[in-house]
């Protein structure tokens, strides 16, 4: 089984061909392709971690769609002062489908 560890959106993801990965928002529209830098490649028993060899390898993924993460509620409260502040956040994400490791 061939898989690679790639850097995507500030995190490292383990991907193989056909996997669907959700990463932080990337520029581009649905249907466009993205190339990600490879940090480690495993091809059966052979493990490649040499930076010179990894520079020749590319992982190509197709943008499936943009989406938002779950709602995170933030509540700041200070006792006895009447201070309450309520905020929320939804992280912007991109869903990718890995098409090729070459």
């Amino acid at each position: 089984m061939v898989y690679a560890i790639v850097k995507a959106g500030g995190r490292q993801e383990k991907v193989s061909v056909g996997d669907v990965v959700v990463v932080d928002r990337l520029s581009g529209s649905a249907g466009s392709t993205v190339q990600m830098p490879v940090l480690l490649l495993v091809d059966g028993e052979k493990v490649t971690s040499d930076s010179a060899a990894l520079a020749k390898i590319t992982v190509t993924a197709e943008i499936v769609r943009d989406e938002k993460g779950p709602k995170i509620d933030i509540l700041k409260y200070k006792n006895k002062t009447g201070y309450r502040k309520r905020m929320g956040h939804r992280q912007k994400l991109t869903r990718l489908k890995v098409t090729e490791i070459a």
Side-chain angles (χ1 to χ4, degrees):
M1 178 168 175
V2 178
Y3 67 89
I5 307 294
V6 297
K7 187 171 185 178
R11 293 190 304 262
Q12 295 178 3
E13 300 280 343
K14 176 184 173 183
V15 296
S16 59
V17 176
D19 284 354
V20 176
V21 182
V22 178
V23 298
D24 288 342
R25 180 68 57 96
L26 298 173
S27 60
S29 60
S32 61
T33 60
V34 176
Q35 298 206 353
M36 297 179 281
V38 181
L39 303 175
L40 181 77
L41 178 70
V42 177
D43 187 5
E45 296 289 322
K46 184 180 174 192
V47 177
T48 305
S49 62
D50 181 35
S51 61
L54 291 175
K56 301 173 187 173
I57 299 169
T58 59
V59 172
T60 306
E62 179 184 349
I63 296 177
V64 177
R65 68 174 180 263
D66 291 331
E67 53 188 49
K68 288 184 177 180
K71 177 82 171 195
I72 298 172
D73 291 323
I74 302 152
L75 180 65
K76 295 182 178 182
Y77 173 77
K78 293 197 185 279
N79 195 15
K80 299 178 186 172
T81 60
Y83 175 78
R84 289 176 54 115
K85 188 170 184 181
R86 184 176 177 192
M87 295 179 288
H89 175 75
R90 288 187 77 182
Q91 185 69 31
K92 295 180 179 179
L93 304 170
T94 300
R95 186 174 294 267
L96 301 173
K97 181 172 183 178
V98 179
T99 56
E100 181 183 18
I101 298 176

